[in-house]
Amino acid sequence: MKVGLIVPLLFGFILFPGFSFSQETSWGNKPSTAVVNPAVRSPFSKVLSLRGEWDFIKENAARYRLFVGEFISGNRSYDWSHAEKIHVPAPWEVEGIGDPGPGIAWDADWDRGFWDLKHVYMGRAVYRKIVNIPADWNGQIWLKVGGVRSEAYFWVNSQRAAYVNNYCGTEKFNITSFVQPGQKTEITAMVRNDVPSRKGLWAANHRFGGFYRDIELEETPNIWIDDVWVQSDLAKKSALVHIDLDQIPSASSVKGSLDIAIKTLEGKILADQKIPLVSGKNSYTADCSVPQCRFWTPEDPALYLANVDLKDQNGKTIHGWTARFGLRKLEVRGKNFYLNGKPCFLRGGGDHNYDCHWIIEPPDRARFVEHMKIYKAAGFNFMRHHTHCPLPEYFEAADEMGILLMPELPYYHDTCCEGFVFDPLRDLKELYYNYRRYVSFAVYSGGNEGYLGSPIDKKMYQWVRKHDPDRLVLHQDGGNNLPENSDFSTGPIKPWTSGEVNPDRPFIAHEYLNLAIKMNPFLEPRFTGVRVSPISIQKYKDLLNECGLSSEWGKACLAASRKLQAYYQKQGLESARLDPYCDGYAFWSIVDASIPQGSTVAAQGYLNSFWEVRENGLPPEKFHQFNGPTALLLKTDLDLPIVEKKSMIDAQFRISHFGAKDLPGGSLRWKIRTDKNILAAGDLPFESVKCGYVGLLAQTKIAAPKVESPVHAKLEVEIAGSDLRNDWNLWIFPVRAKKSLSGTVVSKDLLPWFEKYYTDVVPYGDKRMKPDDLLIASDRSAEREKGIQEGRPILCLNGTSKTHNVKLGWWGIGTQVGTAMADHSVFGDFPKSPWMDELWFRMIRSGAPDMRIKEKLGSWDPLIVGEGRESYYLYLGQARMGKAKVLSAFALDLMQENPETLALLDRLINYARSPDFDPKVKREP
């Protein structure tokens, strides 16, 4: 390298501080905890919002630090003549900054997905806002920053004022010496997203940049209320109002008081108290008895206001703070959670706070409330936030809606989500000081699926126990949760046998039910924000064309996948509710996280990416039946809900009751009904049920109703006089007598099986064989080939695997996403639906042929089609081969001794012997 090139490079490194990924500690004034854009404010607070348009420059932004403030080049002007306008708050990608490209993900490369974005910009940018400081602001003036990713350097009137790079907090900075009331003030910030962020999961898909929450200016007197938060004392029905004061060093002591009033949201005063100020004392606690208060619960999220006025010696209010709060206590007793002294079951989900338009969810409390209405309608009372902390607006909405929250520190195992300094105790304290004010904040979690190490795990646990004993601690969700670092543990991610997991303290199922189906391609046009749709309608159509399938088949398979996912959601949550040792779950996930899977994208949420219930999924009122505070459950002696009319069903009606009150004794009503008729019914008395009880409610033996032909019914149950109910599928078959195979011949390899279940069985080649007899043959038998040459009708039973293919992939997608059935006479009166459900679980097997591979499979008129990750698969099809008509079953085990298999086989044989058997698709033999 030439010497002449070395000097500029060295000079560049010297002149551009911030090149290092270490946090700046000597820039501007010291920060302190703040609140931005709260749900309620005191009428005595003076705030100026800086929401709205700012000037914005990204070109040459790295040089800005040379031109402002006390540095080598001194204080120089900066050219804003070509600045763009950008809105705050919003990630700058949302505002059109950057070029199309893939998102740049966090450091956890073993677990991250990539989003294509319409705008990607990694680097530095400069924001500027000119504001008028009100002329009557004669006290202390504060700059309050709601949130930035990753870091921001602030100047106020060209003076270094603030540096922000934090995990979850809102910070304020004293800028009094930099501004002049009544005059214009220039606020400038250089923001970088190319340095490590402490935000966590938000950056799993892209390290966005910019101010994602509000920025405000606030004026306080020289002695001010710095923070207010309320703690519960349920034993005394008291609100402990903690108040922190602060003052500038030159301020003289106020010989006044703190006036505290506890009010309803409507303004009715329930308690008040006056505390005289004590010279030199900055922290006060008011113990306000509120005997008539309601405790906060998910079912009754009662909120109150703590109004704190700082008054001088003349009784004049000089500053005020209004805090919204609720009174509640979450604790562990033995093996159970208790909320306000009553057993509590955490019906939780994983909320990732992704947003298709904004990358992360915007700071909109009303929007969060609307989303949480769906969560609550579906029965959820708890949310886990994987390696991140949601916005304060989210907590405020959860306070209102009654949802307990578990934010997490940004650590995946013992790894920082990005390359910031490892210091989980620092982050834990930041979480505490910023979020202790929210009653919905219920559990601390140190991260995800690992162990932060010792002794830091014990130090963190002991710190919370000392400073915040009303909340619980989980070291890491799915991690190394020990008695010395956690209040409870986490359990299986998949359904388990009841009683199999029995720790000596509560457990919740970790990331429970990762039931992956494909993301709906027809959502593509709705991706109108910064995120490019990860799915494509054209790609979806191309695959259908490649497989020779119509759009109707594609839509049918989409509907089948949603139905199958809904089945396993219900089955999985009911399985957890049946276990008396289980104390909750974190259903995974609430909203689709859209995980790339080969050439497709997985959708494993209860709701799609736009907070909508899936078409053909479970609406919230149905989901609530098994996910609400009280769930009616069923346990029978059946492997599947399929019976013959001679059968007796041993029905154990169970209950998981975590309602607000004990359930009085009453009558449990059950009935078996079709769409048109009630086939059987009964009433069962039950004793009163205490809150927290999980077990048998009533039991009976039900005789399978008599039917002349197969029927699909529902077993419905309800508690008389209440809205508690649930239902389950039940298929009922008449007792089958041996059927005649007259007019049919069977290949020799299948002969022994057919002779067990049919009469008049004639082997192929027998002298009784007629030219137009139906041939039932295995796929590789010589008889099949002869039958094709003879031009006879053929039912071909291909060999099947022993492996069932009826389950969805766990997070990943396999060869079963959903299987659809044609509306066709081939099935006769077989009680099928348009999609695979439990009726098919003993028949559908792995190994179905890939419909893309035409040279091996050929062309067929499909009758049962399944979808997998990369293709579609044929389970039943028909075709004309020369003069022969062939009905062929693939990976469909039709040679079993159970009611549904024999019934289906009977109907396939009937169809293949009938005039309706007339395939239109022609193919080579």
Side-chain angles (χ1 to χ4, degrees):
M1 179 182 289
K2 294 181 180 179
V3 174
L5 295 179
I6 297 177
V7 174
L9 287 174
L10 290 176
F11 184 70
F13 278 102
I14 293 171
L15 291 183
F16 295 104
F19 239 90
S20 167
F21 281 178
S22 62
Q23 178 165 320
E24 188 93 36
T25 58
S26 59
W27 184 280
N29 291 329
K30 182 180 178 181
S32 56
T33 301
V35 177
V36 159
N37 190 30
V40 292
R41 291 188 198 269
S42 167
F44 297 100
S45 64
K46 297 180 180 180
V47 174
L48 178 63
S49 173
L50 302 187
R51 175 181 284 243
E53 277 194 347
W54 289 54
D55 296 323
F56 181 87
I57 293 176
K58 70 176 187 293
E59 292 81 7
N60 297 320
R63 301 187 63 197
Y64 187 74
R65 290 180 64 177
L66 303 180
F67 297 161
V68 177
E70 301 169 2
F71 203 62
I72 293 174
S73 297
N75 188 359
R76 294 169 58 182
S77 62
Y78 195 67
D79 183 8
W80 289 95
S81 61
H82 300 292
E84 301 178 60
K85 297 295 182 182
I86 195 169
H87 185 83
V88 172
W92 59 45
E93 292 86 349
V94 176
E95 293 294 296
I97 303 303
D99 300 314
I104 299 170
W106 67 358
D107 290 348
D109 56 3
W110 60 89
D111 189 3
R112 61 185 182 183
F114 293 91
W115 292 350
D116 285 330
L117 303 177
K118 297 171 186 175
H119 305 282
V120 176
Y121 174 64
M122 297 293 295
R124 311 182 191 212
V126 185
Y127 290 72
R128 184 181 71 157
K129 183 83 167 179
I130 306 296
V131 297
N132 288 314
I133 303 295
D136 63 347
W137 280 21
N138 53 14
Q140 300 301 302
I141 300 176
W142 304 86
L143 172 69
K144 304 195 313 184
V145 185
V148 64
R149 191 191 182 288
S150 298
E151 68 179 12
Y153 298 85
F154 278 90
W155 294 260
V156 174
N157 289 332
S158 300
Q159 301 299 308
R160 295 184 180 186
Y163 172 78
V164 181
N165 185 341
N166 54 17
Y167 154 49
C168 64
T170 301
E171 295 178 341
K172 66 176 182 282
F173 302 83
N174 195 313
I175 60 170
T176 309
S177 62
F178 306 147
V179 301
Q180 184 65 43
Q183 295 186 7
K184 292 185 180 300
T185 291
E186 180 188 61
I187 299 174
T188 312
M190 186 178 73
V191 177
R192 298 182 63 177
N193 68 340
D194 58 347
V195 296
S197 165
R198 292 164 54 199
K199 307 303 177 188
L201 184 74
W202 287 347
N205 298 99
H206 179 59
R207 298 177 177 180
F208 63 90
F211 296 106
Y212 57 83
R213 286 192 70 229
D214 284 88
I215 302 173
E216 295 176 345
L217 296 179
E218 182 173 10
E219 188 257 358
T220 67
N222 293 335
I223 299 176
W224 64 91
I225 301 172
D226 199 54
D227 195 16
V228 175
W229 70 286
V230 182
Q231 191 176 17
S232 307
D233 187 339
L234 266 60
K236 298 193 303 182
K237 277 201 166 185
S238 287
L240 304 178
V241 184
H242 299 282
I243 305 159
D244 292 331
L245 300 183
D246 205 349
Q247 65 183 67
I248 62 173
S250 60
S252 57
S253 298
V254 174
K255 297 177 181 178
S257 66
L258 288 168
D259 287 15
I260 301 103
I262 305 299
K263 302 179 179 181
T264 66
L265 297 183
E266 296 73 30
K268 180 182 177 182
I269 296 177
L270 304 178
D272 54 23
Q273 190 173 144
K274 182 185 292 287
I275 300 178
L277 296 181
V278 178
S279 180
K281 183 177 180 179
N282 288 330
S283 294
Y284 298 83
T285 297
D287 188 343
C288 299
S289 177
V290 195
Q292 67 271 47
C293 74
R294 305 188 331 262
F295 295 152
W296 186 96
T297 68
E299 294 72 35
D300 180 23
L303 294 174
Y304 299 94
L305 302 176
N307 195 77
V308 181
D309 291 342
L310 174 62
K311 297 194 172 185
D312 63 18
Q313 58 189 353
N314 299 317
K316 179 183 177 182
T317 300
I318 60 173
H319 195 216
W321 189 299
T322 300
R324 195 176 65 172
F325 70 94
L327 297 173
R328 65 119 182 97
K329 184 176 184 180
L330 180 64
E331 60 184 324
V332 168
R333 297 182 191 173
K335 295 186 177 184
N336 301 103
F337 295 118
Y338 281 78
L339 180 63
N340 304 336
K342 295 182 179 180
C344 174
F345 189 90
L346 296 179
R347 307 181 307 277
D351 195 344
H352 302 311
N353 299 124
Y354 289 151
D355 184 82
C356 293
H357 298 287
W358 243 60
I359 303 178
I360 64 168
E361 289 192 82
D364 185 341
R365 184 166 54 254
R367 184 176 188 265
F368 289 133
V369 166
E370 291 305 309
H371 293 169
M372 291 180 189
K373 286 179 180 177
I374 305 173
Y375 304 171
K376 291 300 296 293
F380 291 101
N381 67 357
F382 173 67
M383 287 292 143
R384 177 204 167 192
H385 300 275
H386 185 303
T387 54
H388 77 287
C389 178
L391 301 178
E393 289 84 356
Y394 187 99
F395 281 81
E396 290 169 344
D399 286 355
E400 296 173 17
M401 294 303 300
I403 296 182
L404 297 160
L405 303 181
M406 184 174 75
E408 288 187 349
L409 304 189
Y411 296 91
Y412 208 132
H413 315 308
D414 59 349
T415 303
C416 303
C417 290
E418 295 184 40
F420 55 82
V421 176
F422 179 88
D423 190 352
L425 187 57
R426 167 203 62 198
D427 303 321
L428 181 80
K429 293 177 180 179
E430 185 176 328
L431 179 62
Y432 165 76
Y433 285 112
N434 281 274
Y435 290 84
R436 61 188 178 182
R437 66 189 80 256
Y438 303 113
V439 63
S440 55
F441 177 22
V443 183
Y444 292 86
S445 173
N448 181 62
E449 295 180 349
Y451 185 46
L452 292 171
S454 181
I456 187 64
D457 62 328
K458 302 178 187 65
K459 288 182 179 179
M460 292 168 64
Y461 180 72
Q462 292 162 1
W463 195 93
V464 175
R465 291 276 59 82
K466 177 181 178 182
H467 292 87
D468 201 2
D470 295 337
R471 294 185 172 95
L472 302 182
V473 179
L474 182 68
H475 179 67
Q476 286 202 346
D477 203 298
N480 194 22
N481 300 306
L482 308 171
E484 57 266 27
N485 66 21
S486 301
D487 291 311
F488 60 98
S489 59
T490 50
I493 65 171
K494 297 182 179 182
W496 64 95
T497 302
S498 184
E500 178 183 351
V501 182
N502 185 14
D504 57 359
R505 55 198 180 137
F507 81 89
I508 62 172
H510 166 68
E511 296 187 5
Y512 190 51
L513 302 180
N514 287 293
L515 300 167
I517 62 174
K518 288 183 178 180
M519 194 172 180
N520 182 1
F522 295 102
L523 292 175
E524 181 184 19
R526 299 181 60 185
F527 283 83
T528 57
V530 67
R531 187 180 176 192
V532 176
S533 174
I535 36 132
S536 161
I537 294 175
Q538 188 58 52
K539 194 173 181 180
Y540 160 79
K541 290 180 177 179
D542 290 345
L543 179 57
L544 286 173
N545 290 335
E546 187 179 359
C547 294
L549 291 171
S550 66
S551 60
E552 287 73 20
W553 270 112
K555 292 176 182 178
C557 286
L558 284 173
S561 70
R562 298 167 195 146
K563 198 69 177 181
L564 188 61
Q565 187 186 55
Y567 165 76
Y568 281 116
Q569 288 170 347
K570 184 175 190 292
Q571 186 258 358
L573 293 189
E574 287 183 343
S575 175
R577 297 295 295 264
L578 280 165
D579 189 345
Y581 297 120
C582 178
D583 303 280
Y585 38 73
F587 177 90
W588 220 244
S589 300
I590 292 296
V591 176
D592 286 345
S594 307
I595 306 300
Q597 294 285 321
S599 63
T600 188
V601 176
Q604 83 288 12
Y606 168 55
L607 305 173
N608 69 20
S609 299
F610 298 92
W611 283 269
E612 297 165 340
V613 177
R614 303 189 202 285
E615 184 181 353
N616 218 35
L618 288 164
E621 61 273 15
K622 292 290 289 184
F623 208 92
H624 191 278
Q625 289 182 357
F626 52 85
N627 190 46
T630 300
L632 296 177
L633 308 167
L634 175 67
K635 192 172 183 181
T636 73
D637 55 347
L638 303 173
D639 294 331
L640 287 172
I642 301 170
V643 295
E644 288 183 311
K645 71 178 183 181
K646 67 180 181 181
S647 304
M648 295 293 292
I649 307 169
D650 182 7
Q652 298 180 21
F653 297 107
R654 294 177 171 259
I655 191 169
S656 172
H657 177 56
F658 291 88
K661 299 178 181 179
D662 294 346
L663 186 67
S667 176
L668 183 75
R669 295 176 179 170
W670 64 268
K671 58 186 172 185
I672 297 175
R673 63 184 300 272
T674 64
D675 291 339
K676 298 180 180 179
N677 301 306
I678 295 177
L679 305 180
D683 281 8
L684 300 171
F686 64 87
E687 302 289 330
S688 63
V689 178
K690 288 190 174 298
C691 180
Y693 174 74
V694 178
L696 185 66
L697 186 65
Q699 185 171 3
T700 189
K701 288 187 179 294
I702 302 173
K706 294 181 180 180
V707 294
E708 299 302 321
S709 60
V711 298
H712 176 210
K714 291 279 189 181
L715 173 54
E716 299 178 344
V717 63
E718 65 178 3
I719 290 179
S722 79
D723 59 356
L724 297 174
R725 54 182 45 85
N726 205 347
D727 60 78
W728 301 268
N729 284 320
L730 183 64
W731 288 271
I732 308 167
F733 290 82
V735 175
R736 180 185 183 274
K738 279 190 173 183
K739 308 287 185 182
S740 171
L741 275 186
S742 177
T744 303
V745 292
V746 181
S747 64
K748 292 178 181 178
D749 57 332
L750 302 183
L751 202 61
W753 190 89
F754 274 86
E755 288 176 335
K756 289 175 61 178
Y757 300 103
Y758 292 87
T759 63
D760 307 316
V761 180
V762 176
Y764 179 87
D766 189 276
K767 62 182 181 180
R768 295 169 288 177
M769 183 174 72
K770 299 175 182 178
D772 59 349
D773 281 348
L774 170 68
L775 168 62
I776 303 176
S778 61
D779 58 327
R780 296 182 181 179
S781 65
E783 291 93 331
R784 174 184 177 276
E785 301 307 315
K786 292 178 181 178
I788 292 173
Q789 294 171 11
E790 295 166 351
R792 66 174 65 245
I794 300 171
L795 172 58
C796 183
L797 304 181
N798 290 267
T800 61
S801 164
K802 294 182 179 179
T803 305
H804 296 270
N805 189 25
V806 298
K807 292 186 177 181
L808 294 171
W810 218 259
W811 193 264
I813 300 176
T815 57
Q816 181 60 265
V817 177
T819 296
M821 286 74 183
D823 182 9
H824 195 279
S825 60
V826 66
F827 300 105
D829 63 352
F830 190 71
K832 70 167 189 65
S833 63
W835 39 76
M836 180 180 69
D837 45 32
E838 303 109 300
L839 179 61
W840 298 87
F841 280 7
R842 287 192 282 221
M843 293 187 282
I844 299 289
R845 303 298 174 97
S846 62
D850 187 332
M851 296 185 73
R852 293 174 302 178
I853 309 175
K854 295 298 183 184
E855 63 273 16
K856 183 177 180 181
L857 177 63
S859 297
W860 294 86
D861 176 16
L863 299 168
I864 302 179
V865 173
E867 186 175 5
R869 190 178 87 171
E870 303 296 340
S871 189
Y872 292 85
Y873 301 88
L874 184 64
Y875 291 96
L876 183 67
Q878 62 181 3
R880 193 176 289 274
M881 301 182 186
K883 293 184 179 181
K885 299 180 292 183
V886 180
L887 176 64
S888 191
F890 305 91
L892 191 62
D893 190 351
L894 296 174
M895 296 173 63
Q896 300 180 70
E897 186 180 4
N898 56 56
E900 72 276 18
T901 303
L902 291 169
L904 179 59
L905 183 58
D906 289 343
R907 282 144 184 84
L908 297 185
I909 292 171
N910 291 342
Y911 169 75
R913 294 193 299 198
S914 76
D916 288 344
F917 186 26
D918 187 22
K920 304 302 181 187
V921 173
K922 297 179 180 180
R923 51 162 296 178
E924 293 296 321

